[in-house]
Amino acid sequence: IITYASPSVRLLGYTPEDWIGRHILDFADPETIPDLQRIALQQNDDLRATRQEANVVAKDGSVVCLEVLVSVVLQDGKPVKKHAVARDITERKAAEQARRESERRYKSIVENSNEMIMLTTPQGQIAYVSPACRQINGYEPEELLRDNPWVVHPDDTPWVREVFRLARRGEPRTGVEYRIITK
């Protein structure tokens, strides 16, 4: 049962008085209540502070994601209350979801491309190579990653090395084409 709510609950559309005397789960998104109950029970057993995410329902009905640090307050070695501090991480969570979706789309494009796409470290070590390498140079992606063979044609090697040097200085090139040696 909530005994104090800071004025910051106004960010959710509530007044502190709206919260006082009510159970914290009254404000939780119903889908997350089982997880919150499980975390609370575990904390009641071990008394350690927890950092968790909790979705709460704002007064207008929107769902807001909070990061909550919950500490157990002890008196004479016994728990007497919990102290929670929360911050809104809704925008961060949305940005993370957008990033994951973008990465999923990018990966799908790269993995299904007929072009061999290769990412390298600044030192020229292969960090990623698309599956199209099988058809293009006869190597399995794992072989290129593990063995890191030099696949650039010897006549193009000086030019490719210069492109890498320019990239390391912050002068990236796009659409770099060079001949390769097949397996």
Side-chain angles (χ1 to χ4, degrees), residues 30-41:
E31 291 182 16
T32 63
I33 288 175
D35 287 336
L36 296 175
Q37 288 172 322
R38 180 184 49 75
I39 293 168
L41 287 172

Side-chain angles (χ1 to χ4, degrees), residues 1 4 6 16 33 44 49 52 69 73 75 85-86 91 95-96 101 112 114 128 132 151 165 167 179 181-182:
I1 302 299
Y4 171 81
S6 78
I33 288 175
N44 290 345
Q52 61 206 51
L69 177 62
V73 178
Q75 188 173 23
V85 178
E91 288 183 19
E96 289 171 357
E101 182 60 27
N112 294 297
N114 291 328
Y128 171 83
V151 295
R165 277 191 288 280
R179 294 172 289 175
I181 301 168
T182 63

Side-chain angles (χ1 to χ4, degrees), residues 18 27 32 42 45 50 53 69-70 92 96 108 117 127 132 134-135 142 145 161 164 167-168 178:
D18 292 333
F27 299 95
T32 63
Q42 180 181 347
D45 289 340
T50 63
E53 292 178 7
L69 177 62
V70 181
R92 184 185 86 194
E96 289 171 357
S108 177
I117 299 168
R134 292 180 187 106
Q135 288 75 38
E142 298 77 23
L145 291 169
R161 289 190 192 279
F164 273 102
R168 278 195 301 270
Y178 51 88

Side-chain angles (χ1 to χ4, degrees), residues 40-136:
L41 287 172
Q42 180 181 347
Q43 188 180 42
N44 290 345
D45 289 340
D46 63 28
L47 304 178
R48 289 184 299 187
T50 63
R51 182 177 308 273
Q52 61 206 51
E53 292 178 7
N55 290 339
V56 298
V57 180
K59 194 162 190 172
D60 66 6
S62 63
V63 175
V64 178
C65 185
L66 301 177
E67 180 180 60
V68 186
L69 177 62
V70 181
S71 302
V72 177
V73 178
L74 302 174
Q75 188 173 23
D76 298 325
K78 302 224 185 283
V80 291
K81 61 183 171 181
K82 291 186 179 183
H83 179 257
V85 178
R87 68 180 172 143
D88 185 347
I89 60 169
T90 306
E91 288 183 19
R92 184 185 86 194
K93 296 299 283 184
E96 289 171 357
Q97 178 61 32
R99 187 198 81 240
R100 282 191 298 275
E101 182 60 27
S102 176
E103 288 173 352
R104 186 196 62 73
R105 280 194 308 273
Y106 175 77
K107 183 178 179 182
S108 177
I109 291 168
V110 169
E111 299 271 322
N112 294 297
S113 172
N114 291 328
E115 303 290 326
M116 186 169 110
I117 299 168
M118 187 183 306
L119 300 176
T120 63
T121 66
Q123 296 75 30
Q125 295 293 107
I126 300 169
Y128 171 83
V129 63
S130 66
C133 71
R134 292 180 187 106
Q135 288 75 38
I136 294 173

